[in-house]
Amino acid sequence: MGILRRSSAVAALVLAGALAVPLSLSVPDTAQGAAPERAGAVQGATGLRAADPSVLRVGSTYTAVQSADGGIVVRQASSLDGLASAPAKKVWSDTGGLGGVWAPEIVRDGGRYYIYFAAERAGARRMYVISSASPDSGYSAAKKLALPDDKWAIDGTLFTFQGRRWFVWSGWAGDTNVEQNLYIARMSDPTTPTGGRSIISQPREGWERVVGNPYINEAPEAIKDPNGQLHIVYSANGSWSDQYCLADLRLRAGGDPTYVWDWYKSNGCLFGSHRETMMTGWDPTLYVDGPGHHSFVLLDGDIGTSPPAGQKFPSMFHAVPKGTPYSWENRHWYSGSFVWWGDTTYKRANVPGAETDTGWSLKFFE
């Protein structure tokens, strides 16, 4: 596939009928330039030193999943901020010698809970799934997902769009660590892929190639905009760098999720800490460096419950406090929010299909 070249897009217009929100991405609910609400604290910090948050809400309970102690733990609380102090209940241990456990994602489908995670042994990283009728107990033994082509994979998650189940993940095209692409495949049920894998994004833009070896698109999360169009928001640049950031893929209206040229990429980071890589009209963060690997905190984890225009909605992400050396060990979970941002044009060139697509984008708040 050729290089996906896209130029900068003009900043989005204010949401029709939206609540008043700051034009700066980085100021949550205070005037631009105001101090954080908690003196000496990083805005939205949960106190949980960890990475790769995956959170959903069922009723009034927030459930988060995390890899820890050679297995997977679940935390439950009545608020996002309460997750940090909630007890971590271990729901799965690697008794089968699968290897290192990475980036679990919790999903609810048909009233049952599924946790997808990557495990690696001898450099071979593959996706696995466990399931239970309860979010914090009774999980099954791990089952390897038979993803098409059986290549290195991480950050996989399930969602339903237009009545069909889909699985999206980050992985390699072949057997060497050149770059991590985003792939999508159909699912006949929550544990059974069907058909082939289709590439939907490669890290080929300058702003997502600031840090490489390999170049990375990872941590995809699905959400549906107010027009009913599918978005995959993902993390770009290496997670070991403060250039880590969030970007967006928007499926054109009526588009085929398996056809790469029906996807339009944001023309820069939508949530990041370096102005030079931000999409025009989007500002860098004030309080944290390298925000990424986020979770849209949706009811039941269902993109059918995606928020309408005009409402701030909760999210979680990991980042490092500004002024702290950027390292994996210094990452924390943060609670934040996002809103839909209308009339946003994504541009591209030298590829099949229309060069521009205008629709909803997102703005994220610390």
mmCIF file of all heavy atoms in Angstrom, residues 157-168 184-187 230 256-258:
data_model
loop_
_atom_site.group_PDB
_atom_site.id
_atom_site.type_symbol
_atom_site.label_atom_id
_atom_site.label_comp_id
_atom_site.label_asym_id
_atom_site.label_seq_id
_atom_site.Cartn_x
_atom_site.Cartn_y
_atom_site.Cartn_z
ATOM 1 N N THR A 157 -9.436 -5.173 20.575
ATOM 2 C CA THR A 157 -10.697 -4.951 21.275
ATOM 3 C C THR A 157 -11.875 -5.194 20.342
ATOM 4 O O THR A 157 -11.760 -5.044 19.119
ATOM 5 C CB THR A 157 -10.758 -3.534 21.871
ATOM 6 O OG1 THR A 157 -11.895 -3.421 22.732
ATOM 7 C CG2 THR A 157 -10.838 -2.475 20.789
ATOM 8 N N LEU A 158 -12.999 -5.557 20.938
ATOM 9 C CA LEU A 158 -14.227 -5.909 20.201
ATOM 10 C C LEU A 158 -15.208 -4.748 20.264
ATOM 11 O O LEU A 158 -15.316 -4.061 21.271
ATOM 12 C CB LEU A 158 -14.852 -7.141 20.846
ATOM 13 C CG LEU A 158 -16.156 -7.667 20.236
ATOM 14 C CD1 LEU A 158 -15.862 -8.550 19.038
ATOM 15 C CD2 LEU A 158 -16.945 -8.457 21.293
ATOM 16 N N PHE A 159 -15.951 -4.542 19.178
ATOM 17 C CA PHE A 159 -17.059 -3.596 19.190
ATOM 18 C C PHE A 159 -18.088 -4.030 18.162
ATOM 19 O O PHE A 159 -17.806 -4.859 17.281
ATOM 20 C CB PHE A 159 -16.586 -2.161 18.907
ATOM 21 C CG PHE A 159 -16.038 -1.948 17.516
ATOM 22 C CD1 PHE A 159 -16.851 -1.503 16.481
ATOM 23 C CD2 PHE A 159 -14.698 -2.181 17.240
ATOM 24 C CE1 PHE A 159 -16.349 -1.297 15.203
ATOM 25 C CE2 PHE A 159 -14.184 -1.989 15.960
ATOM 26 C CZ PHE A 159 -15.011 -1.544 14.947
ATOM 27 N N THR A 160 -19.291 -3.488 18.289
ATOM 28 C CA THR A 160 -20.371 -3.788 17.346
ATOM 29 C C THR A 160 -20.748 -2.509 16.608
ATOM 30 O O THR A 160 -20.985 -1.465 17.225
ATOM 31 C CB THR A 160 -21.600 -4.346 18.076
ATOM 32 O OG1 THR A 160 -21.240 -5.580 18.721
ATOM 33 C CG2 THR A 160 -22.737 -4.626 17.097
ATOM 34 N N PHE A 161 -20.789 -2.590 15.286
ATOM 35 C CA PHE A 161 -21.137 -1.443 14.447
ATOM 36 C C PHE A 161 -22.086 -1.916 13.361
ATOM 37 O O PHE A 161 -21.799 -2.882 12.664
ATOM 38 C CB PHE A 161 -19.874 -0.833 13.830
ATOM 39 C CG PHE A 161 -20.131 0.328 12.904
ATOM 40 C CD1 PHE A 161 -20.688 1.511 13.383
ATOM 41 C CD2 PHE A 161 -19.813 0.239 11.557
ATOM 42 C CE1 PHE A 161 -20.924 2.581 12.533
ATOM 43 C CE2 PHE A 161 -20.037 1.299 10.701
ATOM 44 C CZ PHE A 161 -20.598 2.476 11.183
ATOM 45 N N GLN A 162 -23.230 -1.244 13.260
ATOM 46 C CA GLN A 162 -24.260 -1.584 12.277
ATOM 47 C C GLN A 162 -24.648 -3.059 12.351
ATOM 48 O O GLN A 162 -24.806 -3.742 11.338
ATOM 49 C CB GLN A 162 -23.801 -1.200 10.880
ATOM 50 C CG GLN A 162 -23.622 0.309 10.700
ATOM 51 C CD GLN A 162 -23.203 0.718 9.308
ATOM 52 O OE1 GLN A 162 -22.647 -0.085 8.538
ATOM 53 N NE2 GLN A 162 -23.453 1.962 8.951
ATOM 54 N N GLY A 163 -24.785 -3.535 13.599
ATOM 55 C CA GLY A 163 -25.269 -4.894 13.828
ATOM 56 C C GLY A 163 -24.254 -5.986 13.618
ATOM 57 O O GLY A 163 -24.595 -7.175 13.722
ATOM 58 N N ARG A 164 -22.999 -5.622 13.358
ATOM 59 C CA ARG A 164 -21.955 -6.618 13.138
ATOM 60 C C ARG A 164 -20.831 -6.433 14.138
ATOM 61 O O ARG A 164 -20.460 -5.306 14.479
ATOM 62 C CB ARG A 164 -21.375 -6.503 11.715
ATOM 63 C CG ARG A 164 -22.362 -6.854 10.614
ATOM 64 C CD ARG A 164 -21.701 -6.712 9.252
ATOM 65 N NE ARG A 164 -22.569 -7.176 8.181
ATOM 66 C CZ ARG A 164 -22.236 -7.155 6.893
ATOM 67 N NH1 ARG A 164 -21.038 -6.699 6.530
ATOM 68 N NH2 ARG A 164 -23.078 -7.597 5.979
ATOM 69 N N ARG A 165 -20.283 -7.555 14.604
ATOM 70 C CA ARG A 165 -19.136 -7.506 15.502
ATOM 71 C C ARG A 165 -17.854 -7.350 14.694
ATOM 72 O O ARG A 165 -17.667 -7.984 13.648
ATOM 73 C CB ARG A 165 -19.054 -8.774 16.344
ATOM 74 C CG ARG A 165 -20.143 -8.910 17.399
ATOM 75 C CD ARG A 165 -19.857 -10.129 18.262
ATOM 76 N NE ARG A 165 -20.873 -10.346 19.283
ATOM 77 C CZ ARG A 165 -21.929 -11.139 19.139
ATOM 78 N NH1 ARG A 165 -22.100 -11.797 17.985
ATOM 79 N NH2 ARG A 165 -22.795 -11.293 20.122
ATOM 80 N N TRP A 166 -16.948 -6.528 15.264
ATOM 81 C CA TRP A 166 -15.651 -6.300 14.650
ATOM 82 C C TRP A 166 -14.575 -6.387 15.715
ATOM 83 O O TRP A 166 -14.817 -6.106 16.888
ATOM 84 C CB TRP A 166 -15.596 -4.910 14.007
ATOM 85 C CG TRP A 166 -16.611 -4.692 12.926
ATOM 86 C CD1 TRP A 166 -17.887 -4.206 13.074
ATOM 87 C CD2 TRP A 166 -16.449 -4.945 11.539
ATOM 88 N NE1 TRP A 166 -18.520 -4.144 11.865
ATOM 89 C CE2 TRP A 166 -17.671 -4.592 10.894
ATOM 90 C CE3 TRP A 166 -15.402 -5.431 10.747
ATOM 91 C CZ2 TRP A 166 -17.849 -4.714 9.525
ATOM 92 C CZ3 TRP A 166 -15.587 -5.546 9.387
ATOM 93 C CH2 TRP A 166 -16.795 -5.187 8.781
ATOM 94 N N PHE A 167 -13.380 -6.749 15.289
ATOM 95 C CA PHE A 167 -12.217 -6.761 16.166
ATOM 96 C C PHE A 167 -11.141 -5.904 15.519
ATOM 97 O O PHE A 167 -10.834 -6.061 14.329
ATOM 98 C CB PHE A 167 -11.699 -8.190 16.367
ATOM 99 C CG PHE A 167 -10.762 -8.339 17.526
ATOM 100 C CD1 PHE A 167 -11.239 -8.380 18.827
ATOM 101 C CD2 PHE A 167 -9.387 -8.447 17.316
ATOM 102 C CE1 PHE A 167 -10.380 -8.528 19.905
ATOM 103 C CE2 PHE A 167 -8.520 -8.599 18.387
ATOM 104 C CZ PHE A 167 -9.022 -8.642 19.689
ATOM 105 N N VAL A 168 -10.583 -4.964 16.283
ATOM 106 C CA VAL A 168 -9.542 -4.075 15.765
ATOM 107 C C VAL A 168 -8.323 -4.205 16.662
ATOM 108 O O VAL A 168 -8.452 -4.342 17.882
ATOM 109 C CB VAL A 168 -10.059 -2.613 15.683
ATOM 110 C CG1 VAL A 168 -10.439 -2.067 17.047
ATOM 111 C CG2 VAL A 168 -9.059 -1.709 14.987
ATOM 112 N N ILE A 184 -8.354 -4.675 11.085
ATOM 113 C CA ILE A 184 -9.722 -4.957 11.493
ATOM 114 C C ILE A 184 -10.161 -6.277 10.866
ATOM 115 O O ILE A 184 -9.712 -6.636 9.771
ATOM 116 C CB ILE A 184 -10.672 -3.807 11.077
ATOM 117 C CG1 ILE A 184 -12.006 -3.891 11.826
ATOM 118 C CG2 ILE A 184 -10.869 -3.751 9.570
ATOM 119 C CD1 ILE A 184 -12.869 -2.645 11.680
ATOM 120 N N ALA A 185 -11.011 -7.013 11.587
ATOM 121 C CA ALA A 185 -11.555 -8.271 11.078
ATOM 122 C C ALA A 185 -12.964 -8.451 11.628
ATOM 123 O O ALA A 185 -13.298 -7.952 12.710
ATOM 124 C CB ALA A 185 -10.676 -9.456 11.470
ATOM 125 N N ARG A 186 -13.773 -9.185 10.897
ATOM 126 C CA ARG A 186 -15.107 -9.542 11.365
ATOM 127 C C ARG A 186 -15.011 -10.602 12.451
ATOM 128 O O ARG A 186 -14.072 -11.385 12.503
ATOM 129 C CB ARG A 186 -15.954 -10.077 10.199
ATOM 130 C CG ARG A 186 -16.432 -9.026 9.198
ATOM 131 C CD ARG A 186 -17.606 -8.226 9.748
ATOM 132 N NE ARG A 186 -18.642 -9.074 10.289
ATOM 133 C CZ ARG A 186 -19.572 -9.713 9.565
ATOM 134 N NH1 ARG A 186 -19.592 -9.565 8.247
ATOM 135 N NH2 ARG A 186 -20.488 -10.460 10.147
ATOM 136 N N MET A 187 -16.031 -10.625 13.322
ATOM 137 C CA MET A 187 -16.135 -11.645 14.366
ATOM 138 C C MET A 187 -17.512 -12.295 14.262
ATOM 139 O O MET A 187 -18.534 -11.596 14.209
ATOM 140 C CB MET A 187 -15.959 -11.020 15.744
ATOM 141 C CG MET A 187 -14.609 -10.353 15.967
ATOM 142 S SD MET A 187 -13.256 -11.517 16.250
ATOM 143 C CE MET A 187 -13.561 -11.994 17.958
ATOM 144 N N LEU A 230 -18.421 5.735 12.122
ATOM 145 C CA LEU A 230 -17.464 5.045 12.972
ATOM 146 C C LEU A 230 -16.139 5.791 13.006
ATOM 147 O O LEU A 230 -15.640 6.263 11.985
ATOM 148 C CB LEU A 230 -17.246 3.621 12.436
ATOM 149 C CG LEU A 230 -16.250 2.736 13.180
ATOM 150 C CD1 LEU A 230 -16.709 2.472 14.609
ATOM 151 C CD2 LEU A 230 -16.071 1.409 12.421
ATOM 152 N N ASP A 256 -16.955 1.255 3.911
ATOM 153 C CA ASP A 256 -16.700 -0.148 4.256
ATOM 154 C C ASP A 256 -15.552 -0.197 5.259
ATOM 155 O O ASP A 256 -14.430 0.216 4.928
ATOM 156 C CB ASP A 256 -16.335 -0.911 2.979
ATOM 157 C CG ASP A 256 -15.957 -2.370 3.233
ATOM 158 O OD1 ASP A 256 -15.972 -2.811 4.392
ATOM 159 O OD2 ASP A 256 -15.631 -3.062 2.238
ATOM 160 N N PRO A 257 -15.761 -0.682 6.490
ATOM 161 C CA PRO A 257 -14.683 -0.702 7.478
ATOM 162 C C PRO A 257 -13.450 -1.492 7.053
ATOM 163 O O PRO A 257 -12.367 -1.277 7.603
ATOM 164 C CB PRO A 257 -15.344 -1.348 8.706
ATOM 165 C CG PRO A 257 -16.800 -1.077 8.550
ATOM 166 C CD PRO A 257 -17.043 -1.149 7.060
ATOM 167 N N THR A 258 -13.580 -2.387 6.092
ATOM 168 C CA THR A 258 -12.445 -3.204 5.671
ATOM 169 C C THR A 258 -11.674 -2.590 4.499
ATOM 170 O O THR A 258 -10.659 -3.158 4.074
ATOM 171 C CB THR A 258 -12.902 -4.612 5.257
ATOM 172 O OG1 THR A 258 -13.697 -4.536 4.069
ATOM 173 C CG2 THR A 258 -13.703 -5.270 6.369
#
